Structures are given as C-alpha cells and as structure tokens.
Amino acid sequence: MNDTPAQPQMTVLSAAVVTGPLPAVGQRAGADAGDPQLGVVAVAPGAPGSSGIWECTPGGWPVKNRQDTEIAYLLSGRALITDDATQVTHEVGVGDLIVLPVGWSGRWDVLETVRKIYTLQ
C-alpha cells in the first residue's frame, strides 16, 4: 500500500482547446434577451473555486447579488456590463480584464459572441 500523498499536477491546455469549440451547456440561466447559448470547459476541477473557458452567444441577463468573485479576461467578442449601483455601462472586449466582486449586481448584454478565461473565488 502506498501512503504517499498525490503530487499536485499542472494543467496545460493547447491553443486548440482555448480557441476551438467548447462543450455546449445550453441557454444562460435567467436570460431575458436574445438566446444566449453557453459553451464551457473547466480547468483544474480539483482546485478551490472554479476556473475555465466560457463562451456565450448574444443575449442578456441580470445578475443579482453575486455569491462569488469573478475575475475574467476576454479573449474575443464584445459585451455591455452595467453596474446597478452606479448605473454605469462599460463596453468590454478583447484584452479587457473584469472583476465582479461578491455582492455585485448588474447586467450582462453580449453583443458579439464572448469568450473569456474566468476564475470564481
């Protein structure tokens, strides 16, 4: 019997995984505009929190009182993100980094299919 704990392992995703088709998971829950269809691939499923690659076709939905903090880096597409507290709308696109903290409320409106790398904490 081997009592040696398993060593943590790194994950490397090829460019084909990062830029290629993602497994479809259906319509974004709570959508109230368009037909936002999601594709997601998880990264490091054994790590605390959640991280992966997420893609969404055009559509919109409200977010009320986030239960986690999301940090996202946009790889492609364009969206409008409106903050309920300030009523400021930000147009985000390729290369933008977004931080949505615990308790944040607002709205996502995807204008052009968005693909992002995200982590939830």
Short mmCIF file of all heavy atoms in Angstrom, two decimals, residues 53-90:
data_model
loop_
_atom_site.label_atom_id
_atom_site.label_comp_id
_atom_site.label_asym_id
_atom_site.label_seq_id
_atom_site.Cartn_x
_atom_site.Cartn_y
_atom_site.Cartn_z
N ILE A 53 -12.81 28.12 -19.31
CA ILE A 53 -13.03 28.93 -20.51
C ILE A 53 -14.53 28.91 -20.75
O ILE A 53 -15.16 27.85 -20.71
CB ILE A 53 -12.25 28.37 -21.70
CG1 ILE A 53 -10.76 28.32 -21.37
CG2 ILE A 53 -12.51 29.22 -22.95
CD1 ILE A 53 -9.95 27.51 -22.34
N TRP A 54 -15.10 30.07 -20.98
CA TRP A 54 -16.55 30.25 -21.10
C TRP A 54 -16.81 31.02 -22.37
O TRP A 54 -16.09 31.97 -22.69
CB TRP A 54 -17.01 31.03 -19.88
CG TRP A 54 -18.44 31.43 -19.74
CD1 TRP A 54 -19.41 30.73 -19.07
CD2 TRP A 54 -19.06 32.64 -20.17
NE1 TRP A 54 -20.59 31.44 -19.07
CE2 TRP A 54 -20.40 32.62 -19.74
CE3 TRP A 54 -18.61 33.75 -20.89
CZ2 TRP A 54 -21.29 33.65 -20.01
CZ3 TRP A 54 -19.50 34.78 -21.16
CH2 TRP A 54 -20.83 34.73 -20.71
N GLU A 55 -17.85 30.61 -23.10
CA GLU A 55 -18.26 31.32 -24.30
C GLU A 55 -19.76 31.50 -24.27
O GLU A 55 -20.49 30.61 -23.81
CB GLU A 55 -17.84 30.54 -25.54
CG GLU A 55 -18.15 31.26 -26.84
CD GLU A 55 -17.57 30.55 -28.03
OE1 GLU A 55 -18.19 29.57 -28.49
OE2 GLU A 55 -16.49 30.97 -28.49
N CYS A 56 -20.23 32.64 -24.77
CA CYS A 56 -21.66 32.92 -24.78
C CYS A 56 -22.02 33.69 -26.05
O CYS A 56 -21.36 34.68 -26.38
CB CYS A 56 -22.05 33.74 -23.56
SG CYS A 56 -23.82 34.02 -23.41
N THR A 57 -23.09 33.23 -26.72
CA THR A 57 -23.61 33.92 -27.90
C THR A 57 -24.46 35.12 -27.44
O THR A 57 -24.79 35.23 -26.26
CB THR A 57 -24.44 32.96 -28.76
OG1 THR A 57 -25.55 32.48 -27.99
CG2 THR A 57 -23.60 31.78 -29.25
N PRO A 58 -24.82 36.02 -28.36
CA PRO A 58 -25.54 37.22 -27.97
C PRO A 58 -26.84 36.98 -27.20
O PRO A 58 -27.59 36.04 -27.47
CB PRO A 58 -25.82 37.91 -29.32
CG PRO A 58 -24.65 37.51 -30.16
CD PRO A 58 -24.42 36.06 -29.78
N GLY A 59 -27.05 37.87 -26.23
CA GLY A 59 -28.22 37.84 -25.37
C GLY A 59 -27.91 38.58 -24.08
O GLY A 59 -26.79 39.05 -23.87
N GLY A 60 -28.90 38.67 -23.19
CA GLY A 60 -28.69 39.43 -21.96
C GLY A 60 -29.38 38.80 -20.77
O GLY A 60 -30.33 38.04 -20.92
N TRP A 61 -28.89 39.18 -19.57
CA TRP A 61 -29.45 38.67 -18.32
C TRP A 61 -29.01 39.55 -17.16
O TRP A 61 -27.93 40.14 -17.18
CB TRP A 61 -29.01 37.23 -18.06
CG TRP A 61 -27.52 37.08 -17.99
CD1 TRP A 61 -26.73 37.17 -16.88
CD2 TRP A 61 -26.62 36.86 -19.08
NE1 TRP A 61 -25.40 37.01 -17.22
CE2 TRP A 61 -25.31 36.82 -18.56
CE3 TRP A 61 -26.80 36.68 -20.45
CZ2 TRP A 61 -24.19 36.61 -19.36
CZ3 TRP A 61 -25.67 36.49 -21.25
CH2 TRP A 61 -24.40 36.45 -20.69
N PRO A 62 -29.84 39.62 -16.13
CA PRO A 62 -29.46 40.34 -14.92
C PRO A 62 -28.64 39.43 -14.00
O PRO A 62 -28.76 38.21 -14.05
CB PRO A 62 -30.80 40.67 -14.27
CG PRO A 62 -31.70 39.56 -14.71
CD PRO A 62 -31.23 39.17 -16.09
N VAL A 63 -27.80 40.05 -13.20
CA VAL A 63 -27.06 39.36 -12.14
C VAL A 63 -27.42 40.06 -10.84
O VAL A 63 -27.27 41.28 -10.73
CB VAL A 63 -25.53 39.43 -12.36
CG1 VAL A 63 -24.79 38.78 -11.20
CG2 VAL A 63 -25.15 38.79 -13.69
N LYS A 64 -27.93 39.32 -9.87
CA LYS A 64 -28.33 39.91 -8.60
C LYS A 64 -27.51 39.31 -7.47
O LYS A 64 -27.50 38.09 -7.28
CB LYS A 64 -29.82 39.65 -8.32
CG LYS A 64 -30.74 40.30 -9.34
CD LYS A 64 -30.64 41.80 -9.32
CE LYS A 64 -31.55 42.43 -10.35
NZ LYS A 64 -31.22 43.80 -10.65
N ASN A 65 -26.79 40.15 -6.75
CA ASN A 65 -26.07 39.76 -5.55
C ASN A 65 -25.18 38.53 -5.77
O ASN A 65 -25.43 37.46 -5.21
CB ASN A 65 -27.07 39.51 -4.40
CG ASN A 65 -26.38 39.42 -3.07
OD1 ASN A 65 -25.29 39.94 -2.88
ND2 ASN A 65 -27.01 38.73 -2.13
N ARG A 66 -24.12 38.70 -6.57
CA ARG A 66 -23.17 37.59 -6.85
C ARG A 66 -22.79 36.88 -5.57
O ARG A 66 -22.54 37.52 -4.55
CB ARG A 66 -21.90 38.12 -7.50
CG ARG A 66 -22.02 38.46 -8.96
CD ARG A 66 -20.63 38.63 -9.58
NE ARG A 66 -19.95 37.36 -9.61
CZ ARG A 66 -20.03 36.50 -10.62
NH1 ARG A 66 -20.72 36.80 -11.68
NH2 ARG A 66 -19.40 35.35 -10.57
N GLN A 67 -22.68 35.59 -5.65
CA GLN A 67 -22.30 34.78 -4.50
C GLN A 67 -20.80 34.50 -4.44
O GLN A 67 -20.32 33.89 -3.50
CB GLN A 67 -23.07 33.45 -4.52
CG GLN A 67 -24.58 33.64 -4.46
CD GLN A 67 -25.00 34.38 -3.21
OE1 GLN A 67 -24.76 33.94 -2.10
NE2 GLN A 67 -25.63 35.53 -3.39
N ASP A 68 -20.06 34.93 -5.47
CA ASP A 68 -18.61 34.71 -5.54
C ASP A 68 -17.98 35.89 -6.27
O ASP A 68 -18.69 36.73 -6.81
CB ASP A 68 -18.29 33.40 -6.25
CG ASP A 68 -19.04 33.25 -7.57
OD1 ASP A 68 -19.36 34.28 -8.21
OD2 ASP A 68 -19.33 32.11 -7.97
N THR A 69 -16.67 35.96 -6.25
CA THR A 69 -15.96 36.97 -7.03
C THR A 69 -15.53 36.32 -8.33
O THR A 69 -14.97 35.23 -8.33
CB THR A 69 -14.72 37.49 -6.27
OG1 THR A 69 -15.17 38.19 -5.11
CG2 THR A 69 -13.89 38.42 -7.13
N GLU A 70 -15.80 37.00 -9.44
CA GLU A 70 -15.34 36.52 -10.74
C GLU A 70 -14.26 37.44 -11.26
O GLU A 70 -14.39 38.67 -11.23
CB GLU A 70 -16.48 36.48 -11.76
CG GLU A 70 -15.99 36.05 -13.13
CD GLU A 70 -17.07 35.98 -14.20
OE1 GLU A 70 -18.21 36.40 -13.94
OE2 GLU A 70 -16.75 35.50 -15.30
N ILE A 71 -13.19 36.84 -11.73
CA ILE A 71 -12.13 37.54 -12.45
C ILE A 71 -12.11 36.93 -13.84
O ILE A 71 -12.01 35.71 -13.98
CB ILE A 71 -10.77 37.40 -11.76
CG1 ILE A 71 -10.85 37.95 -10.33
CG2 ILE A 71 -9.67 38.10 -12.56
CD1 ILE A 71 -9.65 37.62 -9.48
N ALA A 72 -12.25 37.76 -14.87
CA ALA A 72 -12.33 37.26 -16.23
C ALA A 72 -11.47 38.09 -17.17
O ALA A 72 -11.38 39.31 -17.03
CB ALA A 72 -13.79 37.27 -16.71
N TYR A 73 -10.88 37.41 -18.14
CA TYR A 73 -10.08 38.04 -19.19
C TYR A 73 -10.72 37.69 -20.53
O TYR A 73 -10.88 36.50 -20.84
CB TYR A 73 -8.63 37.55 -19.14
CG TYR A 73 -7.75 38.15 -20.20
CD1 TYR A 73 -7.25 39.44 -20.06
CD2 TYR A 73 -7.45 37.44 -21.36
CE1 TYR A 73 -6.45 40.00 -21.05
CE2 TYR A 73 -6.65 37.99 -22.34
CZ TYR A 73 -6.15 39.27 -22.18
OH TYR A 73 -5.37 39.84 -23.16
N LEU A 74 -11.12 38.70 -21.30
CA LEU A 74 -11.83 38.46 -22.55
C LEU A 74 -10.87 38.14 -23.70
O LEU A 74 -9.94 38.90 -23.97
CB LEU A 74 -12.70 39.65 -22.92
CG LEU A 74 -14.12 39.57 -22.36
CD1 LEU A 74 -14.15 39.58 -20.86
CD2 LEU A 74 -15.00 40.62 -22.95
N LEU A 75 -11.12 36.99 -24.32
CA LEU A 75 -10.33 36.53 -25.46
C LEU A 75 -10.93 36.99 -26.78
O LEU A 75 -10.20 37.18 -27.76
CB LEU A 75 -10.25 35.00 -25.46
CG LEU A 75 -9.59 34.36 -24.24
CD1 LEU A 75 -9.79 32.86 -24.28
CD2 LEU A 75 -8.12 34.73 -24.19
N SER A 76 -12.26 37.12 -26.82
CA SER A 76 -12.93 37.55 -28.05
C SER A 76 -14.32 38.08 -27.73
O SER A 76 -14.85 37.84 -26.65
CB SER A 76 -13.03 36.39 -29.05
OG SER A 76 -13.82 35.35 -28.53
N GLY A 77 -14.89 38.80 -28.69
CA GLY A 77 -16.25 39.29 -28.55
C GLY A 77 -16.37 40.66 -27.92
O GLY A 77 -15.37 41.32 -27.60
N ARG A 78 -17.64 41.05 -27.71
CA ARG A 78 -17.97 42.35 -27.12
C ARG A 78 -19.22 42.21 -26.30
O ARG A 78 -20.16 41.51 -26.68
CB ARG A 78 -18.26 43.37 -28.23
CG ARG A 78 -17.18 44.29 -28.57
CD ARG A 78 -17.52 45.31 -29.67
NE ARG A 78 -18.73 45.10 -30.44
CZ ARG A 78 -19.81 45.89 -30.39
NH1 ARG A 78 -19.86 46.92 -29.59
NH2 ARG A 78 -20.86 45.63 -31.14
N ALA A 79 -19.25 42.93 -25.17
CA ALA A 79 -20.43 42.92 -24.30
C ALA A 79 -20.56 44.26 -23.60
O ALA A 79 -19.59 45.01 -23.48
CB ALA A 79 -20.33 41.80 -23.27
N LEU A 80 -21.78 44.52 -23.13
CA LEU A 80 -22.03 45.66 -22.26
C LEU A 80 -22.28 45.09 -20.87
O LEU A 80 -23.07 44.15 -20.71
CB LEU A 80 -23.26 46.44 -22.72
CG LEU A 80 -23.19 47.04 -24.12
CD1 LEU A 80 -24.54 47.67 -24.48
CD2 LEU A 80 -22.08 48.06 -24.21
N ILE A 81 -21.61 45.65 -19.88
CA ILE A 81 -21.84 45.26 -18.49
C ILE A 81 -22.26 46.51 -17.74
O ILE A 81 -21.53 47.51 -17.71
CB ILE A 81 -20.58 44.63 -17.84
CG1 ILE A 81 -20.12 43.42 -18.65
CG2 ILE A 81 -20.86 44.24 -16.40
CD1 ILE A 81 -18.82 42.81 -18.15
N THR A 82 -23.44 46.46 -17.15
CA THR A 82 -23.99 47.60 -16.43
C THR A 82 -23.97 47.30 -14.94
O THR A 82 -24.42 46.25 -14.50
CB THR A 82 -25.43 47.89 -16.89
OG1 THR A 82 -25.43 48.11 -18.30
CG2 THR A 82 -26.00 49.12 -16.18
N ASP A 83 -23.44 48.25 -14.17
CA ASP A 83 -23.38 48.13 -12.71
C ASP A 83 -24.63 48.78 -12.12
O ASP A 83 -24.89 49.95 -12.36
CB ASP A 83 -22.11 48.84 -12.23
CG ASP A 83 -21.86 48.66 -10.76
OD1 ASP A 83 -22.74 49.04 -9.94
OD2 ASP A 83 -20.79 48.14 -10.40
N ASP A 84 -25.41 48.00 -11.36
CA ASP A 84 -26.64 48.55 -10.78
C ASP A 84 -26.37 49.70 -9.81
O ASP A 84 -27.13 50.66 -9.75
CB ASP A 84 -27.42 47.45 -10.03
CG ASP A 84 -28.25 46.57 -10.95
OD1 ASP A 84 -28.29 46.83 -12.17
OD2 ASP A 84 -28.85 45.61 -10.44
N ALA A 85 -25.29 49.61 -9.04
CA ALA A 85 -25.01 50.61 -8.01
C ALA A 85 -24.72 51.99 -8.61
O ALA A 85 -25.14 53.00 -8.08
CB ALA A 85 -23.85 50.16 -7.13
N THR A 86 -24.00 52.01 -9.73
CA THR A 86 -23.59 53.29 -10.32
C THR A 86 -24.37 53.64 -11.58
O THR A 86 -24.27 54.77 -12.05
CB THR A 86 -22.09 53.24 -10.70
OG1 THR A 86 -21.91 52.23 -11.71
CG2 THR A 86 -21.22 52.95 -9.49
N GLN A 87 -25.09 52.65 -12.14
CA GLN A 87 -25.78 52.79 -13.42
C GLN A 87 -24.82 53.13 -14.56
O GLN A 87 -25.22 53.69 -15.58
CB GLN A 87 -26.90 53.85 -13.33
CG GLN A 87 -28.06 53.38 -12.47
CD GLN A 87 -28.67 52.07 -12.99
OE1 GLN A 87 -29.14 52.01 -14.10
NE2 GLN A 87 -28.62 51.03 -12.17
N VAL A 88 -23.54 52.78 -14.38
CA VAL A 88 -22.54 52.97 -15.43
C VAL A 88 -22.48 51.68 -16.26
O VAL A 88 -22.45 50.58 -15.71
CB VAL A 88 -21.15 53.29 -14.83
CG1 VAL A 88 -20.08 53.30 -15.91
CG2 VAL A 88 -21.18 54.62 -14.10
N THR A 89 -22.47 51.86 -17.59
CA THR A 89 -22.34 50.74 -18.51
C THR A 89 -20.95 50.78 -19.13
O THR A 89 -20.53 51.82 -19.63
CB THR A 89 -23.41 50.80 -19.61
OG1 THR A 89 -24.71 50.72 -19.00
CG2 THR A 89 -23.25 49.65 -20.60
N HIS A 90 -20.27 49.64 -19.08
CA HIS A 90 -18.94 49.50 -19.67
C HIS A 90 -19.05 48.61 -20.89
O HIS A 90 -19.61 47.51 -20.80
CB HIS A 90 -17.96 48.86 -18.68
CG HIS A 90 -17.79 49.63 -17.42
ND1 HIS A 90 -16.86 50.63 -17.29
CD2 HIS A 90 -18.44 49.56 -16.24
CE1 HIS A 90 -16.94 51.14 -16.07
NE2 HIS A 90 -17.89 50.51 -15.41
#
